[in-house]
Amino acid sequence: MRIRRLVFLLTLFFLPVTGFPPAQAQDDYDLFRQSAAGASLLYRGRQAYEYALLYNGTYYWESSIFSPGEVLYNGNWYRDVPLNIDAVRQELLLRNPVGLSVKILDSRFVSECSFGGNRYLNLQFLYGPSAPAGYWQDLYDQGRGKVLVQVRKVLEQDLDGRKRDQTHYDGVFRLNIYQVFTYNADYLYISEAGEFARIRRRSDFLRQFDPSVRKEIRRHVRHLDNASYMSLERFCTEALKFVESR
């Protein structure tokens, strides 16, 4: 009898610990639920991939900072939610309001998003499965055509620290770390008819227009500041602005 009573008392003693969530965890969850409000649907996605290794650079599109932004998800706009992009896996990431976890927004339902002053498009959602995959930053979309860029990060070995400049990262670079995320940028032109053209050099962009228009573009660009040192990104945007202003 005494043994049974002892077991019963021990069960009552441990029940609050094992039967209910800790008070702090419950408080955090309540805070999360209140902060998420109408955007709670977004937080039901898969947990973001964690890179469990030491590395230089960053796997994010630009930086590890999650900026407040907006996303068009499943036909609805969700605003003032913290967003970022995993540029290795090309996944849109969402951090919950109290920093408990980072979730992946299912790309099948994402049309576009904006954060950090930039707009990003999911072309396969907008144009179909034949469109280039991943997220594309809108560089120019004020007329009939579009110029876009996709930043991709690639994990590489860097045994002697020579790939530091290839990271495009301003943070700390540790010479005793031999894995690095390098920066790669792909440019894309979308015509008014919805045709895609990969742009690797200026000539790729010029070929999208009639020969007479190409001459006008070259003449226009020559009169711009630092024309000989102009980046491909600026060349494409300035050229398209000129073409659509004619």
Side-chain angles (χ1 to χ4, degrees), residues 202 205-206 217 221 230-239:
R202 296 186 181 191
F205 187 78
L206 291 171
I217 292 174
V221 170
M230 186 180 294
S231 67
L232 180 60
E233 177 176 314
R234 188 184 173 207
F235 173 84
C236 292
T237 55
E238 292 290 353

Side-chain angles (χ1 to χ4, degrees), residues 53-57 156-162 164 172-180:
L53 50 86
L54 296 175
Y55 55 83
N56 281 311
E156 300 184 20
Q157 279 199 333
D158 184 26
L159 300 180
D160 50 14
R162 293 184 180 181
R164 180 172 187 168
V172 175
F173 192 92
R174 297 163 292 179
L175 294 177
N176 61 333
I177 302 300
Y178 307 119
Q179 301 284 341
V180 62

Side-chain angles (χ1 to χ4, degrees), residues 146-201:
K146 296 181 177 64
V147 176
L148 309 170
V149 63
Q150 182 182 80
V151 170
R152 294 180 296 103
K153 299 295 181 71
V154 178
L155 183 62
E156 300 184 20
Q157 279 199 333
D158 184 26
L159 300 180
D160 50 14
R162 293 184 180 181
K163 296 182 178 180
R164 180 172 187 168
D165 291 340
Q166 298 178 36
T167 66
H168 286 219
Y169 182 65
D170 295 331
V172 175
F173 192 92
R174 297 163 292 179
L175 294 177
N176 61 333
I177 302 300
Y178 307 119
Q179 301 284 341
V180 62
F181 286 105
T182 58
Y183 174 102
N184 302 269
D186 292 331
Y187 294 91
L188 187 72
Y189 170 67
I190 305 180
S191 69
E192 183 179 7
E195 298 173 338
F196 304 100
R198 298 274 185 173
I199 307 299
R200 295 179 175 84
R201 54 188 67 85

